[in-house]
Amino acid sequence: MRLKKLSIIIVNYNVTDLLRACLKSIEKFVQEIDYEIIVVDNASPDTSWKALIPEFPQVQFVPQENNFGFAVANNLAVKKAKGEYVLLLNPDTEFESHSMKEILDFTDAMEDFGCLGVRMHNKLGRFLPESKRSVPGVVNSFNKLFVCFGNGNRKTYYRNDILESEIAEVEVITGAFFLCRKQTYQEVGGLDETYFMYGEDIDLCYSLLRAKKRNWYYGKVSILHHKGESTVKDVIYLERFFGAMQIFVDKYYRSKKPVQHFVLTKGLRLKHFLERRKLPK
């Protein structure tokens, strides 16, 4: 098996047009690198993605008969990957510059490298704060859930103390653009398949930190993220989102920090209740 420098892994579910734009952006901007693309389709009811197979013959498409979630699909693709690095990439993202080699040069030179994320913005040009985050704790989680405190330039859940264009160590990046060495990814167990969707990127970042790795936010490079356009905000979404947060809290706080676990659980349940009340009847 001939190794490559980079394996780009994309999990698709019912977003053919966004996936096409993503693949075109990779063709245009990812250059000077020996890379492969693996697209896992998670049993999309909309089978129009199959039209992309002849359109992108260099892409390895992996159809799934059942949708077992984001983590399962990514872990499957990582096992197939031939790259030294794996890049987990959302299908609703687009590259905007010839910067992938620059990023890999940076990570090659970095000791104890864990993972790396970049600056993301939506189609209106607004910065997406989940590009750089802290591990969820009692204070920063309540700040995020209920906006109890002013943000300013303090170190909150969203790292407001780090400039958008800065390069800095962070605790958590996003799974929409998640670069990691394949060996490191597998050594820490990859994405926890207990999560169906949401939260698994936070968990993996935390696993890397616990393994004494360094996670990086690379704000010199930006990508477009059509955030929310592929997600329906309904009861199922709320169950998955808040369920994922509860999995994380149970996993890392229940036995070691019972008081924090109690407080965070009550906060999540309250916020979940309030968000459900906002949904149309």
Side-chain angles (χ1 to χ4, degrees):
M1 181 179 72
R2 188 173 72 87
L3 295 179
K4 294 180 177 292
K5 186 65 176 179
L6 177 67
S7 296
I8 301 174
I9 294 169
I10 304 170
V11 176
N12 175 65
Y13 185 79
N14 278 359
V15 288
T16 300
D17 290 341
L18 290 171
L19 175 59
R20 176 182 284 110
C22 178
L23 293 174
K24 286 184 176 179
S25 77
I26 295 171
E27 281 189 341
K28 180 177 180 180
F29 290 113
V30 180
Q31 299 178 6
E32 300 181 47
I33 299 167
D34 186 14
Y35 72 93
E36 65 177 353
I37 304 172
I38 302 173
V39 173
V40 179
D41 180 75
N42 246 356
S44 296
D46 175 9
T47 59
S48 62
W49 66 269
K50 293 181 180 179
L52 301 179
I53 297 175
E55 188 174 342
F56 298 95
Q58 79 282 11
V59 175
Q60 180 182 351
F61 288 90
V62 182
Q64 295 293 92
E65 293 185 1
N66 299 288
N67 183 358
F68 294 114
F70 182 79
V72 171
N74 275 293
N75 288 345
L76 170 69
V78 170
K79 290 178 183 177
K80 295 177 177 290
K82 300 175 183 177
E84 175 189 353
Y85 288 90
V86 292
L87 172 63
L88 310 188
L89 187 68
N90 269 24
D92 57 355
T93 61
E94 295 179 38
F95 280 84
E96 299 179 311
S97 63
H98 301 88
S99 52
M100 200 64 228
K101 187 177 184 302
E102 173 188 337
I103 290 172
L104 291 171
D105 288 343
F106 173 83
T107 58
D108 280 343
M110 199 56 55
E111 292 185 7
D112 301 321
F113 174 69
C115 61
L116 178 144
V118 297
R119 174 166 42 98
M120 301 189 305
H121 64 85
N122 65 16
K123 64 182 181 182
L124 299 177
R126 294 199 187 105
F127 173 71
L128 299 178
E130 63 268 28
S131 302
K132 47 182 175 68
R133 293 174 284 173
S134 299
V135 172
V138 172
V139 175
N140 65 31
S141 293
F142 267 79
N143 184 49
K144 176 182 184 296
L145 292 172
F146 301 106
V147 197
C148 294
F149 311 106
N151 289 333
N153 60 354
R154 297 165 56 248
K155 181 182 176 181
T156 55
Y157 178 73
Y158 297 126
R159 291 292 301 273
N160 299 303
D161 57 317
I162 297 173
L163 298 176
E164 293 176 14
S165 59
E166 194 173 345
I167 298 173
E169 278 192 64
V170 295
E171 293 175 336
V172 177
I173 60 170
T174 175
F177 185 108
F178 191 104
L179 181 69
C180 186
R181 285 194 177 93
K182 178 181 176 179
Q183 181 178 346
T184 303
Y185 182 97
Q186 293 180 315
E187 284 175 351
V188 298
L191 293 175
D192 185 339
E193 296 181 2
T194 307
Y195 300 88
F196 183 85
M197 190 175 183
Y198 309 114
E200 60 281 293
D201 51 354
I202 300 174
D203 194 298
L204 182 51
C205 286
Y206 192 42
S207 295
L208 290 165
L209 293 174
R210 285 157 60 91
K212 307 302 181 185
K213 300 297 183 181
R214 304 166 71 192
N215 301 338
W216 291 89
Y217 168 70
Y218 200 83
K220 283 180 60 180
V221 172
S222 69
I223 62 167
L224 170 62
H225 185 196
H226 298 278
K227 183 184 176 184
E229 294 191 22
S230 59
T231 304
V232 178
K233 302 297 190 297
D234 56 11
V235 172
I236 295 175
Y237 162 78
L238 290 178
E239 292 291 340
R240 288 176 177 169
F241 179 81
F242 286 99
M245 296 302 102
Q246 191 63 56
I247 290 171
F248 184 89
V249 170
D250 288 346
K251 183 175 178 179
Y252 294 109
Y253 285 84
R254 187 193 293 274
S255 61
K256 295 184 178 180
K257 300 178 180 179
V259 175
Q260 291 93 324
H261 177 266
F262 175 82
V263 174
L264 286 168
T265 296
K266 291 296 184 183
L268 286 169
R269 289 177 180 173
L270 174 59
K271 184 63 172 179
H272 187 190
F273 171 76
L274 295 174
E275 291 301 313
R276 285 198 64 160
R277 292 188 64 184
K278 296 178 183 179
L279 295 175
K281 303 297 183 181

